[in-house]
């Protein structure tokens, strides 16, 4: 049975392994210190899907003002995909965002990943029709 709950610091290695499996892990963005900071600001900012003691999925909620939030790092362990876990994570995130007064959510999808675009469209996400890349800068 899959349960969705808030991330704790003890979950770090499981979340890190998921992000690495999905080739999404970034050592600064996804550091234990950074994730700890996220949950200190908002304990509901990272959700994990758990079966027994195994973390099988996660999603991060990044606020963008009081009405909008960004979904980030939605990942489900490969052998657990196509079981509705990602949908459960999205639904729980939407519930949290609505409870806090949010009215819109956004996310980035790899424009080359047709299966993911189809997945999100089935869940009523719209596309801008434009291609985007994620860019960042390290501050020294």
């Amino acid at each position: 049975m899959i349960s969705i709950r808030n991330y704790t610091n003890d979950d770090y290695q499981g979340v890190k392994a998921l992000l690495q499996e999905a080739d999404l892990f970034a050592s600064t963005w996804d550091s234990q210190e950074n994730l700890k900071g996220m949950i200190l600001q908002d304990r509901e900012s990272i959700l994990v899907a758990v079966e027994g003691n195994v973390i099988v999925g996660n999603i991060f909620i990044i606020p963008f003002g009081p009405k909008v939030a960004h979904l980030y790092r939605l990942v489900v362990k490969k052998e657990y995909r196509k079981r509705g876990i990602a949908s459960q994570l999205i639904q729980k995130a939407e519930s949290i965002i609505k409870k806090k007064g949010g009215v819109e959510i956004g996310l980035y999808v790899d424009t080359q990943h047709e299966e993911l675009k189809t997945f999100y469209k089935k869940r009523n996400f719209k596309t801008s029709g434009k291609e985007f890349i994620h860019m960042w800068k390290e501050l020294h």
Side-chain angles (χ1 to χ4, degrees):
M1 171 106 183
I2 302 294
S3 63
I4 308 294
R5 62 169 174 75
N6 294 338
Y7 168 91
T8 69
N9 291 322
D10 293 337
D11 297 326
Y12 181 72
Q13 291 303 321
V15 168
K16 180 180 178 181
L18 280 176
L19 295 173
Q20 287 173 325
E21 177 185 88
D23 197 27
L24 291 175
F25 181 77
S27 61
T28 301
W29 288 69
D30 303 313
S31 68
Q32 189 166 14
E33 180 183 11
N34 206 49
L35 299 192
K36 182 178 180 179
M38 287 177 64
I39 63 169
L40 285 174
Q41 288 181 5
D42 181 350
R43 66 180 188 83
E44 295 179 307
S45 63
I46 304 173
L47 303 174
V48 292
V50 181
E51 182 176 68
N53 292 327
V54 178
I55 295 175
V56 299
N58 57 250
I59 192 168
F60 299 2
I61 303 168
I62 312 294
F64 192 78
K67 298 289 183 188
V68 180
H70 187 78
L71 302 181
Y72 189 64
R73 297 294 201 247
L74 174 60
V75 178
V76 174
K77 196 171 182 69
K78 284 182 183 175
E79 61 265 29
Y80 286 84
R81 292 179 185 164
K82 304 223 185 271
R83 293 175 41 185
I85 297 168
S87 293
Q88 289 176 53
L89 285 163
I90 291 170
Q91 289 170 354
K92 180 67 174 177
E94 288 177 357
S95 173
I96 290 167
I97 293 163
K98 284 181 189 177
K99 175 182 75 176
K100 294 178 180 181
V103 297
E104 190 171 307
I105 56 176
L107 52 82
Y108 291 104
V109 179
D110 180 344
T111 59
Q112 305 300 309
H113 202 305
E114 293 300 324
E115 185 178 2
L116 273 181
K117 290 193 295 189
T118 299
F119 170 84
Y120 287 117
K121 285 178 183 177
K122 283 182 181 178
R123 283 145 190 89
N124 298 316
F125 284 84
K126 297 173 179 69
T127 178
S128 67
K130 299 175 185 175
E131 292 189 32
F132 294 93
I133 60 170
H134 179 247
M135 297 179 74
W136 76 96
K137 176 181 175 181
E138 292 183 16
L139 302 176
H140 300 280

